[in-house]
């Protein structure tokens, strides 16, 4: 196993431990595994999802925690510690809230978007968090891709950020053309960089910002009832589609910038075009639009 594979395995292990500590132990820690029931599991996941809702995040992690618990109990059955796995009697989608089809809170009114952007500029928290919020608004990337952006992905010569497939939800390399504003933001951070991450944790530069940092920041700024960080993707999608006549680029370009891959797998195999020049034009138009609604 090479160093990169070991690193991925360690990251996966750390995530699983985090799910156990944050989503299972607080609600199941005192329960004897031999008497654990479907009702116990249902109450635990319900409480975990209440916590997710309060934080303004999706229910993906509670779903992964449930799957992890099911695997743990499968192991307990195979070792003879228990006779039956009660998690096997629960269908997650029929019992709990899911993120499928959920709409994330988003701001789509230009005037209010301008107020949000001005609030980002006046944010009094850590500089990494402030810059991550601004970067996220301009690139409308998923939270994980903003937080885990590494300097090795950034090419100032090519005006391009390239994420490897392992980092992307769609499991394919993804290139993000940098607008002038994004490039200036990253160049400013580059000269004061510490470690591999562009937006490192305040605790240690060896780790990225934590999962909930950006949503907490939105709450501190007074926008928590209107927006979650992931909602910036909906903000961009809505306003870019409403302004097609203004920027002159079609819906396919918008979808490519959002990393929404072609659903027809056969077509996707043969259509390798990333249309980078057009996407670069759209990303620059979007950054200019943000400056306009912010009042610059």
């Amino acid at each position: 196993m090479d160093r990169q594979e070991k690193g991925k395995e360690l990251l996966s292990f750390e995530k699983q431990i985090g799910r156990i500590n944050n989503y299972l132990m607080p609600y199941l820690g005192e329960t004897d595994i031999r008497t654990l029931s479907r009702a116990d599991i249902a109450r635990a996941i319900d409480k975990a999802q209440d916590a997710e809702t309060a934080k303004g995040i999706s229910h993906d992690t509670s779903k992964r925690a449930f799957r992890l618990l099911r695997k743990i109990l499968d192991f307990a059955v195979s070792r003879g510690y228990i006779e039956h796995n009660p998690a096997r009697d629960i269908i997650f989608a029929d019992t709990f809230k899911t993120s499928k089809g959920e709409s994330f809170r988003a701001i789509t009114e230009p005037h209010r978007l301008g107020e949000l952007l001005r609030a980002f500029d006046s944010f009094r928290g850590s500089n990494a968090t402030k810059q991550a919020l601004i970067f996220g608004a301009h690139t409308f990337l998923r939270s994980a891709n903003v937080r885990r952006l590494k300097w090795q992905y950034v090419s100032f010569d090519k005006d391009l950020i390239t994420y490897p497939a392992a980092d992307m939800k769609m499991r394919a390399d993804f290139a993000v053309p940098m607008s002038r504003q994004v490039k200036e933001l990253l160049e400013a951070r580059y000269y004061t960089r510490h470690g591999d991450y562009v937006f490192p944790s305040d605790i240690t530069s060896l780790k990225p910002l934590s999962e909930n940092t950006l949503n907490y920041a939105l709450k501190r700024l007074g926008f928590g009832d209107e927006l979650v960080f992931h909602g910036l993707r909906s903000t961009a999608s809505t306003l870019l589609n409403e302004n097609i006549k203004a920027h002159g680029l079609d819906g396919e370009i918008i979808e490519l910038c959002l990393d929404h891959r072609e659903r027809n797998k056969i077509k996707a195999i043969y259509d390798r075009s990333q249309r980078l020049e057009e996407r670069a034009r759209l990303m620059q138009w979007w950054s200019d639009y943000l400056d306009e609604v912010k009042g610059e």
Side-chain angles (χ1 to χ4, degrees):
M1 182 182 296
D2 60 27
R3 182 176 299 178
Q4 186 175 12
E5 289 175 340
K6 287 182 179 179
K8 290 179 181 178
E9 186 176 279
L10 179 60
L11 179 60
S12 177
F13 178 75
E14 289 177 347
K15 285 182 177 180
Q16 289 179 347
I17 294 298
R19 288 164 192 156
I20 291 172
N21 290 335
N22 297 324
Y23 284 79
L24 299 178
M25 290 301 292
Y27 314 116
L28 293 174
E30 300 299 322
T31 308
D32 189 326
I33 192 173
R34 294 168 297 183
T35 61
L36 187 66
S37 67
R38 281 182 297 171
D40 293 327
I41 296 172
R43 279 192 294 270
I45 299 301
D46 282 339
K47 290 178 180 178
Q49 293 202 323
D50 287 343
E52 286 176 320
T53 299
K55 294 175 182 177
I57 59 177
S58 73
H59 298 303
D60 289 338
T61 305
S62 58
K63 185 175 183 179
R64 293 188 180 101
F66 172 78
R67 289 175 175 171
L68 178 57
L69 175 61
R70 190 169 58 192
K71 288 182 179 180
I72 292 170
L73 295 176
D74 279 342
F75 176 78
V77 170
S78 68
R79 300 292 293 184
Y81 301 134
I82 58 176
E83 294 298 322
H84 176 69
N85 179 355
R88 288 289 172 188
D89 299 326
I90 299 174
I91 300 174
F92 190 95
D94 293 342
T95 310
F96 307 110
K97 301 170 187 175
T98 65
S99 295
K100 184 178 181 180
E102 289 183 347
S103 58
F104 291 91
R105 296 193 298 276
I107 290 174
T108 56
E109 200 281 317
H111 176 73
R112 188 58 172 159
L113 177 58
E115 292 177 344
L116 174 70
L117 296 168
R118 290 190 291 274
F120 286 173
D121 285 345
S122 63
F123 182 67
R124 294 180 180 274
S126 77
N127 191 55
T129 301
K130 173 182 177 178
Q131 297 297 318
L133 289 169
I134 297 170
F135 176 82
H138 281 266
T139 59
F140 45 89
L141 288 161
R142 298 178 179 91
S143 172
N145 298 129
V146 171
R147 293 183 294 103
R148 297 174 188 168
L149 175 62
K150 294 183 178 181
W151 287 114
Q152 68 193 66
Y153 304 164
V154 179
S155 172
F156 292 118
D157 292 337
K158 297 180 180 179
D159 293 337
L160 206 63
I161 301 168
T162 305
Y163 288 89
D167 282 12
M168 300 305 299
K169 181 178 180 180
M170 305 306 290
R171 292 294 181 263
D173 291 351
F174 183 61
V176 182
M178 286 190 284
S179 67
R180 172 180 52 81
Q181 292 88 334
V182 168
K183 185 175 182 178
E184 289 174 356
L185 182 153
L186 293 181
E187 284 179 333
R189 289 198 62 78
Y190 183 76
Y191 293 112
T192 59
R193 68 190 184 281
H194 298 283
D196 294 333
Y197 292 103
V198 176
F199 305 110
S201 165
D202 292 336
I203 300 172
T204 170
S205 62
L206 299 178
K207 291 185 178 182
L209 290 172
S210 66
E211 182 177 0
N212 297 318
T213 296
L214 299 177
N215 282 325
Y216 284 145
L218 290 172
K219 289 183 178 181
R220 286 180 58 186
L221 290 169
F223 290 84
D225 292 335
E226 301 173 71
L227 176 76
V228 293
F229 187 78
H230 191 91
L232 290 171
R233 290 171 58 77
S234 296
T235 297
S237 178
T238 299
L239 291 172
L240 285 169
N241 277 288
E242 287 181 356
N243 286 281
I244 283 179
K245 287 185 178 180
H247 55 68
L249 295 158
D250 59 44
E252 182 179 350
I253 299 299
I254 298 171
E255 293 299 293
L256 284 170
C257 287
L258 286 161
D259 190 33
H260 289 166
R261 289 291 194 268
E262 168 60 54
R263 299 304 180 191
N264 183 321
K265 292 183 179 180
I266 300 299
K267 180 179 179 181
I269 291 172
Y270 293 101
D271 183 7
R272 300 297 186 185
S273 171
Q274 297 189 62
R275 301 179 69 177
L276 282 176
E277 289 186 9
E278 292 163 290
R279 287 169 56 200
R281 284 166 47 202
L282 185 68
M283 298 303 288
Q284 186 58 59
W285 185 92
W286 176 245
S287 284
D288 292 341
Y289 176 82
L290 293 184
D291 285 349
E292 181 181 340
V293 298
K294 189 171 71 169
E296 292 190 351

